Amino acid sequence: MAEEVRAEMVANVWKVVVTAGDTVADGDTLVILESMKMEIPVLAESAGTVQELRVNEGDVVQEGDVIAVIG
Amino acid sequence: MFESLLVANRGEIARRIIRTASGMGLRTIAVHSEADADLPFVRAADDAVLLGPPPPAESYLDAQRVLEAAARCGASAIHPGYGFLAESATFAQAVIDAGLVWVGPSPDAIDAMGDKVKARNRMSAAGVPVAAGTEEPVQDVDAALAAAATIGYPLMVKAAAGGGGIGMGVARDDAELRAAFETATSRAQRFFANPAILLERYIEGARHVEVQVLGLADGHVVALGERDCSVQRRHQKVAEETPSPGVTPALRARMLEGAVRAAEAVGYRNAGTVECLVDPVTQDYVFLEMNTRLQVEHPVTELVTGVDLVQEQLLIAAGDPPAADLDAVEPTGHAVELRVYAEDPRRFLPSPGHIDVWDEPAGEGVRVDSGYAAGNTVTPFYDPLLAKLCTWGPDRDVALDRARAAVAAFRIEGLKTNLPFFAELLADPAFAGGDYDTGLIDRMRR
């Protein structure tokens, strides 16, 4: 089943670490957000393939926005 | 005294500087990004200039745009606040070259203290105690491991050009040092455009205590007591108090004397803070770094001394004598500051958002320096400081009781804040008893 990884807070996308099609393990860093001068890594919560990556570096994400879909 | 002042900063500190400057009869000019147009500091100023888009590099860190704003408004002086351009010797020089008054120390003094390796060596030469550490920037991980073998673990790994706790890490063995070195190097490159690293012996159970100094216009340096800043998360301060419960009168006298010597060694003028680590067991202290600007936590010093540090900064910058007899100042009572952050009170993760309700506490011994009001939006572009809640009392117990009441009365709704954490902190036996060190929050969260 596909897992949607969402942003926990309003933030800027500082770094996108993976690309669509990559295989990831549980706990791998997908993207690094930045909010209020703090870097916040967004991690995969299950192993699988990155089916979709919905953000680019420099984007602003809102709380609850889907960042990636892991399947 | 000059006629007008541009404040090259935002939020609570811009508003606080404008308050004193207006009271002195100066025309005040705020500069702001698109994200901050509705904040109270913009309204508090006589004039306001839009610098640019929200990212700091395109607004508050863009020296050219700040100087253009100053020229357009006919500003005669610039106060940088803290952070952003405050510790840029290049910016200070550019302000002076533009024919404006720079409210801060000379570019040379900023430069001498800006590199932590150089500053350490200079302080050591001036007879100020420093921790065992590297006397040259550490270039690579092999050099770090070699230095560690000489200095011994545990070690603190820091960016030589750094500040704000960014990139700092403790290493207790070679494996931890490798990891901490890599983190520190990448953060140092990213945040400070300088990957140089400094290693220093880490003192377990140390308190972080700093001394407020003022270098007066006539060249004489005074020390206005200490502040204990040991309540930290991610190596960043959360609460401060003065006097420090961990500093004896004998140690205080040595620290104040050392801080004056440190400032004199670089011909320091204006407000500065000498940061130290104190070993509560041996009652020894070591110099950490000097912050060449007004400090976030300056209000606690103001509350016990009655000195308006911003007023003294402006007088010094104008070449005028101080408003108070600073050599005769005797601190009275006890003051605490709680940094109210837009962050969740459990994990301390950022929580930007819209402020629906903002209701500040008031009362005897309560001072609130705030950057926001109801209806404002806290954006993710800047640090999470919303307000500084400060209380004063004739002794520490009264100051803490007033802090407890003020925390309970402060209503902020619409986003998460760390106010619930402060209720916890003020009830914590170690904090309430004054017996704590920089590991306090980690122990509370274990």
Side-chain angles (χ1 to χ4, degrees), chain B residues 219-249:
Chain B
H220 161 208
V221 176
V222 293
L224 292 176
E226 85 282 11
R227 295 182 285 257
D228 195 312
C229 312
S230 302
V231 183
Q232 301 187 355
R233 55 117 181 81
R234 298 193 288 268
H235 304 295
Q236 292 169 334
K237 298 165 190 171
V238 179
E240 301 92 349
E241 63 178 311
T242 187
S244 167
V247 172
T248 60

Side-chain angles (χ1 to χ4, degrees), chain B residues 149-184:
Chain B
T150 312
I151 303 164
Y153 289 107
L155 281 173
M156 183 62 94
V157 184
K158 304 182 197 181
I166 292 169
M168 270 169 61
V170 178
R172 291 191 161 76
D173 55 39
D174 285 2
E176 286 185 9
L177 179 57
R178 285 175 191 278
F181 188 87
E182 191 184 324
T183 304

Side-chain angles (χ1 to χ4, degrees), chain B residues 11-13 15 39-41 358 360 369-373 376 385-387:
Chain B
E12 68 84 19
I13 195 63
R15 194 181 189 188
L39 295 195
F41 79 92
W358 180 278
E360 292 175 9
D369 286 18
S370 62
Y372 294 87
N376 292 153
L385 184 62
L386 298 174

Side-chain angles (χ1 to χ4, degrees), chain B residues 11 20 43 81 97 119 125 130 136 159 221 247 303 311 318 409 445:
Chain B
T20 286
R43 288 156 197 241
D97 291 347
V130 297
E136 299 284 336
V221 176
V247 172
L303 286 171
Q311 181 184 19
R445 284 288 174 270

